[in-house]
């Protein structure tokens, strides 16, 4: 059995993780999901309901479950591996003396005490907090651990922490060549960082029916959390620069901390009546929105703290539905979109260029059709779901021993 350590479960914005987990179960792997927090959203995607694994929720804040934490600490102190785990934590805390660091160690204690005793490997999604919990817990349990890195965790985790985690992990995998290049610079020579694109499952995103080119405004769709790195503020500013004669409307899907600020910005720019804010939506509603839209825009940028996208799954999804896509040359986006061939790209933060590209797409139906068809063909050819999940399944199967190790959770 493999313990999968997650930030939260389930999460609408991390459908790519759910897709991977379903694929791993379909390939015969037995999982236990270990979540650092409980869900904050009521809605789920269909793929979440397909996953059979049990879920262990760790206390998000240690003071909310003092009994669990104290019992776990007592059991951990009795383990032969206690000193090894404590040394790891103490060295990290010396460089990062924060309450968050203490919380992750406490969560690792609870994981070690309460996880299924049949675990043979811990596998963390994201290199920051989930990997910290997995690393400490693996030291306590005498297990190997592995990690899948994605976006924010690659670009905002300190170099020293990335280097030490990669040195201690059995293996690491990431979902973009841009992320792989950054991690490879920090990894030991004997611990290569592997590349496995998430890809898209055609069973969940089948080719769309022929679009109805009826009259009316051109519908621009943007799907992504309302956070700085998604560049929604730039998109709104670009829309405000469009010629008055262009007929368009914007549909935004996604929750996030900047949602109210973006609505206020749209109102201040005089765009409020042309925008539909739908909030976070389940996959069925997102798929329907792709099929109703005329083009897709994601103005990704590097946030002030260094956070940025990896390879946004929403671009794969939009292209699979034949939508012409407009995005920026950030991180791994050019790994998917070839400018003027399978979509349009502008420099991040270049609002006038973004407005010019929007005007081109709104005003040229043939261009939208050409880019949309080319993008759909590229996704079908090069970004299928199977190769990536097969690689990860093979790594997990090879890393997880069949027999139990001697240092197991005490009864």
């Amino acid at each position: 059995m493999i313990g999968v350590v997650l930030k939260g479960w389930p999460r609408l914005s991390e459908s790519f993780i759910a897709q991977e987990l379903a694929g791993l179960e379909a390939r015969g792997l037995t999982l236990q999901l270990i979540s650092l927090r409980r869900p904050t959203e009521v809605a789920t995607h269909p793929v979440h309901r397909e996953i059979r694994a049990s879920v262990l929720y760790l206390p998000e804040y240690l003071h909310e479950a003092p009994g669990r934490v104290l019992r776990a600490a007592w059991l951990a102190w009795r383990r032969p591996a206690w000193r090894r785990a404590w040394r790891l934590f103490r060295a990290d805390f010396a460089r990062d003396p924060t309450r968050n660091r203490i919380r992750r160690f406490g969560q690792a204690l609870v994981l070690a005490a309460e996880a299924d005793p049949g675990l043979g490997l811990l596998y963390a999604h994201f290199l920051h907090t989930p990997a910290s919990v997995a690393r400490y817990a693996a030291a306590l349990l005498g297990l190997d651990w592995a990690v899948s890195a994605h976006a924010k965790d690659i670009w905002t985790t300190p170099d020293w922490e990335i280097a030490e985690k990669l040195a201690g992990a059995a293996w690491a995998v990431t979902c973009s060549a841009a992320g792989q290049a950054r991690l490879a610079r920090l990894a030991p020579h004997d611990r290569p960082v592997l590349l496995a694109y998430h890809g898209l499952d055609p069973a969940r995103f089948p080719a769309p029916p022929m679009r109805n080119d009826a009259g009316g405004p051109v519908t621009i769709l943007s799907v992504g959390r309302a956070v700085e790195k998604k560049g929604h503020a730039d998109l709104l500013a670009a829309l405000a620069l469009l010629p008055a004669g262009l007929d368009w409307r914007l549909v935004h899907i996604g929750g996030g901390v900047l949602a109210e600020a973006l609505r206020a910005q749209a109102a201040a720019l005089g765009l409020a009546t042309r925008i539909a804010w739908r909030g976070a939506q389940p996959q069925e509603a997102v798929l329907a929105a792709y099929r109703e839209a005329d083009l897709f825009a994601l103005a990704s940028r590097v946030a002030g703290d260094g956070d940025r996208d990896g390879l946004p799954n929403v671009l794969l999804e939009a292209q699979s539905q034949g939508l012409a896509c407009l995005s920026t040359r950030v991180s791994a986006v050019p790994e998917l979109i070839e400018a003027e061939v399978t979509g349009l790209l502008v420099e991040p933060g270049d609002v006038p260029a973004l407005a010019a590209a929007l005007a081109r797409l709104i005003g040229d139906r043939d261009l939208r059709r050409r880019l949309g068809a080319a993008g759909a063909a590229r996704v079908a050819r090069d970004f299928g779901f199977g190769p990536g999940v097969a690689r990860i399944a093979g790594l997990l199967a090879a890393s997880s021993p069949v027999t139990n190790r001697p240092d197991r959770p005490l009864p």
Side-chain angles (χ1 to χ4, degrees):
M1 178 181 286
I2 297 159
V4 184
V5 184
L6 305 164
K7 287 190 300 183
W9 179 263
R11 301 187 78 189
L12 290 177
S13 63
E14 294 175 359
S15 59
F16 62 93
I17 294 178
Q19 175 183 263
E20 178 190 295
L21 298 179
L24 295 176
E25 287 192 332
R27 285 159 175 78
L29 296 179
T30 302
L31 311 176
Q32 180 181 34
L33 309 186
I34 301 161
S35 178
L36 307 189
R37 64 182 67 158
R38 292 185 176 272
T40 58
E41 301 156 325
V42 176
T44 59
H45 297 310
V47 66
H48 289 127
R49 300 187 285 274
E50 297 172 14
I51 295 167
R52 302 181 300 275
S54 64
V55 185
L56 169 63
Y57 287 103
L58 303 178
E60 183 174 355
Y61 298 100
L62 303 184
H63 68 270
E64 294 176 347
R68 291 176 70 188
V69 176
L70 289 173
R71 173 182 177 274
W74 180 73
L75 292 174
W77 181 75
R78 297 173 62 201
R79 295 180 184 279
W82 162 256
R83 289 187 178 181
R84 182 170 70 241
W86 177 252
R87 282 196 300 268
L88 285 177
F89 166 70
R90 190 173 58 188
D92 289 348
F93 188 73
R95 290 170 290 192
D96 176 34
T98 61
R99 296 175 66 180
N100 182 62
R101 182 67 60 178
I102 296 171
R103 188 195 326 176
R104 301 314 169 196
F105 188 66
Q107 289 179 313
L109 300 182
V110 177
L111 190 165
E114 299 182 7
D116 192 293
L119 291 184
L121 178 77
L122 291 177
Y123 171 49
H125 263 287
F126 292 101
L127 192 53
H128 46 18
T129 50
S132 293
V133 174
R135 179 172 175 244
Y136 300 143
L140 280 168
L141 293 172
L143 297 178
D144 284 336
W145 70 281
V147 62
S148 183
H150 300 291
K152 179 177 181 178
D153 52 327
I154 295 173
W155 301 104
T156 64
T157 304
D159 287 1
W160 67 262
E161 187 169 357
I162 291 177
E164 293 195 3
K165 285 177 174 174
L166 294 179
W171 47 267
V173 65
T174 189
C175 53
S176 71
Q180 182 189 32
R182 166 161 165 76
L183 297 181
R185 290 194 295 271
L186 299 170
H189 294 303
D190 62 342
R191 299 294 172 93
V193 178
L194 307 174
L195 174 62
Y197 288 114
H198 296 307
L200 209 63
D201 186 349
R204 303 186 194 282
F205 289 89
M210 185 67 70
R211 278 189 165 75
N212 179 14
D213 284 327
V218 170
T219 298
I220 306 163
L221 176 64
S222 189
V223 180
R225 290 178 297 126
V227 295
E228 184 184 358
K229 70 178 180 181
K230 298 297 181 181
H232 299 307
D234 291 341
L235 179 59
L236 293 177
L239 290 170
L241 296 179
L242 291 177
L246 289 180
D247 192 11
W248 60 269
R249 62 189 292 266
L250 172 69
V251 173
H252 175 263
I253 292 177
V257 295
L258 297 181
E260 289 303 319
L262 291 173
R263 288 188 178 91
Q265 179 187 358
L269 293 171
L271 305 177
T273 59
R274 306 180 83 166
I275 302 176
W277 304 96
R278 295 185 181 175
Q281 296 289 317
Q283 199 168 68
E284 308 98 315
V286 178
L287 178 58
Y290 288 134
R291 295 183 169 195
E292 294 165 0
D294 297 296
L295 66 97
F296 187 88
L298 186 68
S300 299
R301 62 178 302 148
V302 178
D305 63 356
D307 187 15
R308 68 201 73 178
D309 277 324
L311 178 53
N313 267 53
V314 293
L315 288 173
L316 289 169
E317 294 170 1
Q319 288 197 316
S320 79
Q321 300 307 296
L323 279 178
C325 287
L326 165 61
S327 192
T328 59
R329 294 182 178 88
V330 162
S331 190
V333 173
E335 295 174 39
L336 172 66
I337 295 179
E338 182 181 355
E340 302 292 338
V341 178
T342 61
L344 297 184
L345 293 176
V346 300
E347 294 303 317
D350 190 339
V351 172
L354 187 63
L358 283 168
R360 281 183 65 194
L361 289 169
I362 293 169
D364 191 337
R365 183 177 63 182
D366 291 339
L367 176 63
R368 296 198 302 269
R369 286 177 174 174
R370 175 173 64 80
L371 296 177
R378 173 83 196 284
V379 168
R381 184 181 69 246
D382 298 332
F383 288 90
F385 165 66
V389 75
R391 184 170 205 184
I392 292 171
L395 290 166
L396 290 170
S399 305
S400 180
V402 176
T403 56
N404 285 349
R405 297 191 179 190
D407 189 13
R408 279 305 192 199
L410 296 172

